[in-house]
């Protein structure tokens, strides 16, 4: 599906055939030296993997979840998870190719995700969790209308499926946006 708000982009639900490309995209946006080409890198606070094929397949196959995949010129350049959780939707697994960051692609993706969650599920709020020390990323979400709640949840220390923490103060903060 093409979006009038984002010319040149195609939005579609991920399939099993996309798993390897999506894992590589998510990894490149957050971890390792490749992630340093963009501004969303977590390379200084987490090493190891950001996700794995099993985690991506779980999102694709979950009945209450979608993995919105964004293509430009036939190549996957971004993705995000949308999950229906009753009165709200959850936004996660958001990744934009590091070489495509800073040009408005992330703004277009989050706007389309919010639109789809509103229209598909009739939800009035979008929730997400962000590592609380990621002040630059939280500020970006605040400029998109998300507000900090101060509600924290623990980082899964010891579970290397989510990475290897490089500091001891990691936790997730819930951010919420009212969808108009």
């Amino acid at each position: 599906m093409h979006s009038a708000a984002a010319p040149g982009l195609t939005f579609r639900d991920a399939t099993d055939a996309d798993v390897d490309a999506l894992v590589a995209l998510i990894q490149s946006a957050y971890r390792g030296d490749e992630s340093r080409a963009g501004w969303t890198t977590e390379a200084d606070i987490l090493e190891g993997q950001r996700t794995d094929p099993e985690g991506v397949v779980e999102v694709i196959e979950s009945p209450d979840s979608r993995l919105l995949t964004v293509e430009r010129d036939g190549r996957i350049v971004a993705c995000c998870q949308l999950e229906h959780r009753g009165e709200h939707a959850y936004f996660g697994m958001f990744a934009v190719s590091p070489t495509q960051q800073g040009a408005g692609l992330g703004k277009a993706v989050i706007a389309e995700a919010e639109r789809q969650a509103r229209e598909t599920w009739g939800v009035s709020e979008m929730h997400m969790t962000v590592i609380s020390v990621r002040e630059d990323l939280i500020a970006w979400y605040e400029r998109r209308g998300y507000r900090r709640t101060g509600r924290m949840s623990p980082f899964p220390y010891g579970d290397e499926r989510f990475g290897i923490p490089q500091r001891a103060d990691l936790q997730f903060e819930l951010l919420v946006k009212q969808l108009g």
Side-chain angles (χ1 to χ4, degrees):
M1 170 186 82
H2 292 277
S3 168
L9 299 178
T10 302
F11 294 84
R12 63 175 177 79
D13 286 340
T15 68
D16 289 345
D18 298 318
V19 170
D20 290 342
L22 289 166
V23 170
L25 168 70
I26 294 163
Q27 187 73 14
S28 75
Y30 291 97
R31 305 282 165 80
D33 287 337
E34 189 178 2
S35 71
R36 296 181 193 280
W39 69 273
T40 61
T41 185
E42 295 172 342
D44 294 327
I45 61 171
L46 290 159
E47 291 181 354
Q49 70 181 29
R50 179 71 175 341
T51 191
D52 55 28
E54 295 77 19
V56 172
V57 168
E58 187 178 314
V59 173
I60 291 171
E61 293 181 351
S62 170
D64 294 324
S65 196
R66 305 170 57 194
L67 189 53
L68 191 61
T69 301
V70 185
E71 293 181 331
R72 177 181 279 148
D73 301 324
R75 198 173 66 100
I76 296 174
V77 295
C79 68
C80 67
Q81 171 191 11
L82 292 172
E83 185 176 325
H84 188 203
R85 295 185 178 175
E87 297 296 309
H88 71 271
Y90 178 80
F91 179 85
M93 212 177 272
F94 185 31
V96 174
S97 170
T99 60
Q100 306 270 322
Q101 292 177 16
L105 177 56
K107 283 185 237 181
V109 173
I110 200 167
E112 180 64 15
E114 291 166 356
R115 185 193 70 74
Q116 287 196 26
R118 229 180 10 254
E119 289 186 9
T120 304
W121 297 317
V123 296
S124 59
E125 281 187 347
M126 185 78 86
H127 291 197
M128 70 172 70
T129 54
V130 179
I131 297 174
S132 63
V133 299
R134 298 289 319 277
E135 294 292 340
D136 55 342
L137 187 57
I138 291 171
W140 187 86
Y141 286 122
E142 287 178 314
R143 292 191 298 275
R144 313 275 90 67
Y146 287 81
R147 65 177 173 74
R148 298 181 86 153
T149 64
R151 293 193 348 228
M152 302 293 179
S153 56
F155 186 87
Y157 282 92
D159 188 342
E160 291 190 8
R161 291 177 304 154
F162 301 99
I164 303 165
Q166 301 303 296
R167 48 193 290 180
D169 62 344
L170 301 183
Q171 58 185 342
F172 294 104
E173 182 170 2
L174 176 67
L175 305 184
V176 176
K177 179 178 181 176
Q178 296 296 317
L179 300 177

